[in-house]
Amino acid sequence: MNVLALETTCDETAAAVVTGDLTVRSSVVASQDKLHERFSGVVPEIAARAHVERILPVIDEALRRANVGLQDIDAVAVANTPGLAGSLLVGLVAAKALCVAVGKPLVAVNHVHAHIYACRMASGKNVFPCVGLVVSGGHSNLYRCEAPYDFRYLGGTIDDAAGEAFDKVAAMLGLPYPGGPAVSRVAQQGSRTAYRFPRSFLNDDSRFDFSFSGLKTAVRYTIAGKGNPELQKCELPDSQVSDIAASFQEAVVDCLVGKALLAARRTGLPTLCVGGGVAANGRLRQRLADETQRAGVELHIAPLHLCTDNAVMGALAVERLKAGLTEDLTLDVFPGLLRS
Amino acid sequence: MKQLEYNAHSLNDTDNLGRVLASCLPGGTTVALCGTLGSGKTRLVQALAAACGIPEGLALSPTFVLCNEYHGRRTLYHFDAYRLKDEDEFLQLGPEECFASPAITLIEWADRVESCLPDSRLEVQIEVVAETGRRFQLTARGEALERALDEAAKLLGEQCRPLKE
């Protein structure tokens, strides 16, 4: 069995061919592949029209590398939630057209659930049931994952996602984009206890939510002072930048690790799976490893190439297909986060 | 053009501004939000969303997803231009459909895409003055919004003062 999976929820256009036993036959991510000539030399970064230009070459390339033709595809999977409406539509319309053309079933994939499923793909063994934590630029959510097709939302950010907080703090500190790696790099020379930044909800065991907006603002006050609107004029010594970065990173990591372990305790589930771009953060990986070991929880973190958006994690569709969960052609996109 | 200033001393005051805007802004209003990182642009949108009956936790920062949409007593489109390279990228998100709809369209970092905005709009400039203190400068462009701002001024009471007629 071959499943063609498509991913167009945000900035990336990606396609992968995965078999029924979860072997990855090909994986193409537009921004990471040297396919510029196929896109007339231009790879725009954002928005639906960019997906329109890239989706067909990306599908072609995924089929070519998998050494299969359209007739060899047994189902087409597409991430239809959450994301930017116009971007989601490009993937969905492409998937529907292929389903009609080859007369094969359509499978819907929740992009955030797929980030957790990346851990299943990487570990090569069943990881369910588990607690799932997705941390990226756009999401910071915790799930109770009974099965690959049965995810229950436990909590998430009520304002900024963790990755967004990293990017904005990097900008305030004059560090380059993307902010995650930049903050993490300078934090290595800093003191994690130099500043005591807020850890929203960390001591509130009644909820599994995050809030990073207040933390971002607290960093701002540390840099510029409480009533100072002029952030750009504040030149900080390198040592202070490192201390702020390290203290900020520790506050984010405390919240993520704390709530993930709270979820494991409360649900009694033996395994924690972590995916999304922020799961690439070294300090987060280290703290998760230390504290899950102490708590006797089995930890799976997506490898770096499956942390950022990709279509391999759309292999979640194989499980849905086997469970008989296919869609008809009335399937729509759901841009917002589904809380179920 | 009409301008007023609203001085919020606390998050409650920001919530109050959100409530007043939710009740006074006519359908089809575009709100341009400007202010530095951490000034509270998303926070004001959350206050407005809460006043429209949109549950907490749904109105989130759209910096990465670029546009969120919320459905409560009123529909809100919530854009964020922070991550965009230029105005063309903004136009590719399809904001014109939102401007033409009866929803309220809110745009964070709107100063980065100013030439794409409709002539009739409410501009909200947020200035950090203390830990929870914010000065909101509201500028109404277009007759309908000037009338709406007059209404808002009455509801906001003594913490607001007119700047320009």
Side-chain angles (χ1 to χ4, degrees):
Chain A
M1 180 168 80
N2 293 308
V3 173
L4 172 65
L6 308 182
E7 156 68 44
T8 61
T9 58
C10 195
D11 298 350
E12 288 293 3
T13 317
V17 176
V18 185
T19 67
D21 63 1
L22 300 178
T23 304
V24 180
R25 297 192 66 164
S26 67
S27 170
V28 179
V29 180
S31 71
Q32 292 167 11
D33 276 271
K34 304 265 178 263
L35 295 173
H36 291 226
E37 68 278 10
R38 304 192 63 165
F39 311 116
S40 333
V42 182
V43 183
E45 279 174 18
I46 279 169
R49 277 175 224 167
H51 288 298
V52 171
E53 287 161 22
R54 289 183 279 181
I55 187 79
L56 292 179
V58 164
I59 291 171
D60 272 349
E61 188 65 15
L63 293 172
R64 194 185 65 76
R65 289 188 199 171
N67 199 23
V68 296
L70 266 184
Q71 69 283 356
D72 305 313
I73 296 298
D74 299 289
V76 181
V78 63
N80 72 323
T81 185
L84 190 62
S87 300
L88 290 165
L89 274 170
V90 175
L92 182 64
V93 169
K96 283 182 183 177
L98 289 172
C99 287
V100 170
V102 298
K104 292 292 160 60
L106 175 66
V107 186
V109 170
N110 179 310
H111 168 81
V112 183
H113 298 177
H115 267 303
I116 293 166
Y117 197 73
C119 294
R120 165 68 185 89
M121 293 305 288
S123 74
K125 63 170 199 172
N126 180 37
V127 295
F128 296 91
C130 65
V131 169
L133 170 66
V134 180
V135 271
S136 66
H139 306 285
S140 300
N141 305 330
L142 272 165
Y143 293 89
R144 178 188 181 117
C145 318
E146 297 289 348
Y149 39 80
D150 183 7
F151 283 61
R152 293 175 201 173
Y153 180 83
L154 293 174
T157 182
I158 63 159
D159 39 55
D160 299 2
E164 173 179 350
F166 269 97
D167 275 327
K168 291 192 169 163
V169 164
M172 290 192 272
L173 290 172
L175 299 171
Y177 182 92
V183 168
S184 174
R185 194 171 53 248
V186 300
Q188 285 173 8
Q189 278 82 49
S191 159
R192 296 191 281 263
T193 54
Y195 299 93
R196 184 67 195 171
F197 290 128
R199 284 136 168 93
S200 301
F201 306 137
L202 186 57
N203 295 320
D204 179 357
D205 282 2
S206 70
R207 56 198 294 184
F208 298 102
D209 292 325
F210 305 105
S211 166
F212 297 116
S213 178
L215 170 59
K216 174 186 73 187
T217 308
V219 171
R220 184 203 150 77
Y221 292 148
T222 300
I223 297 170
K226 284 182 179 163
N228 183 0
E230 297 293 329
L231 200 55
Q232 285 71 25
K233 290 185 186 153
C234 305
E235 295 258 334
L236 304 180
D238 285 353
S239 63
Q240 199 186 352
V241 168
S242 292
D243 284 347
I244 291 173
S247 301
F248 158 78
Q249 175 172 265
E250 203 62 10
V252 175
V253 168
D254 274 350
C255 293
L256 295 174
V257 173
K259 290 297 178 189
L261 286 170
L262 174 68
R265 274 202 308 281
R266 284 288 164 79
T267 59
L269 294 173
T271 308
L272 171 65
C273 289
V274 185
V278 178
N281 179 279
R283 179 67 185 155
L284 176 62
R285 293 175 91 93
Q286 181 200 343
R287 285 277 309 279
L288 282 168
D290 292 349
E291 297 194 25
T292 50
Q293 189 180 21
R294 204 170 305 140
V297 172
E298 184 178 323
L299 175 68
H300 296 277
I301 308 182
L304 300 187
H305 71 282
L306 294 182
C307 281
T308 47
D309 287 353
N310 64 85
V312 168
M313 63 192 194
L316 174 57
V318 171
E319 308 263 11
R320 291 185 70 84
L321 192 60
K322 287 178 178 170
L325 298 169
T326 59
E327 313 296 328
D328 63 34
L329 294 175
T330 60
L331 181 69
D332 204 351
V333 299
F334 299 97
L337 188 64
L338 295 173
R339 288 167 182 263
S340 56
Chain B
M1 186 179 87
K2 233 174 202 151
Q3 254 183 346
L4 67 79
E5 183 181 282
Y6 173 70
N7 283 292
H9 307 300
S10 65
L11 279 173
N12 278 342
D13 289 346
T14 299
D15 287 338
N16 186 40
L17 178 60
R19 266 193 301 277
V20 166
L21 292 179
S23 73
C24 295
L25 293 181
T29 298
T30 299
V31 182
L33 295 154
C34 307
T36 183
L37 281 168
S39 59
K41 298 178 291 300
T42 303
R43 189 62 186 72
L44 178 62
V45 174
Q46 288 181 324
L48 207 153
C52 294
I54 293 153
E56 184 200 56
L58 285 185
L60 305 175
S61 167
T63 295
F64 266 77
V65 292
L66 305 172
C67 177
N68 284 329
E69 93 182 59
Y70 319 119
H71 302 277
R73 283 189 289 277
R74 312 189 66 164
T75 294
L76 308 181
Y77 292 108
H78 183 191
F79 286 89
D80 191 326
Y82 180 76
R83 220 158 57 86
L84 301 178
K85 277 204 308 282
D86 53 35
E87 295 182 327
D88 187 50
E89 282 193 340
F90 179 66
L91 291 176
Q92 289 193 30
L93 299 175
E96 285 137 326
E97 281 173 47
C98 303
F99 298 154
S101 77
I104 298 178
T105 301
L106 303 125
I107 303 159
E108 299 194 28
W109 300 94
D111 41 331
R112 299 184 177 200
V113 293
E114 202 181 340
S115 73
C116 307
L117 303 179
D119 294 338
S120 165
R121 62 181 184 259
L122 178 70
E123 291 167 6
V124 180
Q125 179 74 44
I126 310 176
E127 197 185 326
V128 180
V129 291
E131 185 160 3
T132 56
R134 298 289 186 271
R135 186 178 299 125
F136 294 89
Q137 188 179 304
L138 309 174
T139 307
R141 297 183 189 277
E143 258 176 59
L145 284 175
E146 287 175 12
R147 277 196 303 276
L149 196 62
D150 285 339
E151 277 303 299
K154 285 179 206 151
L155 294 169
L156 288 170
E158 60 189 23
Q159 275 164 264
C160 91
R161 64 183 185 95
L163 289 178
K164 206 180 275 179
E165 282 291 323

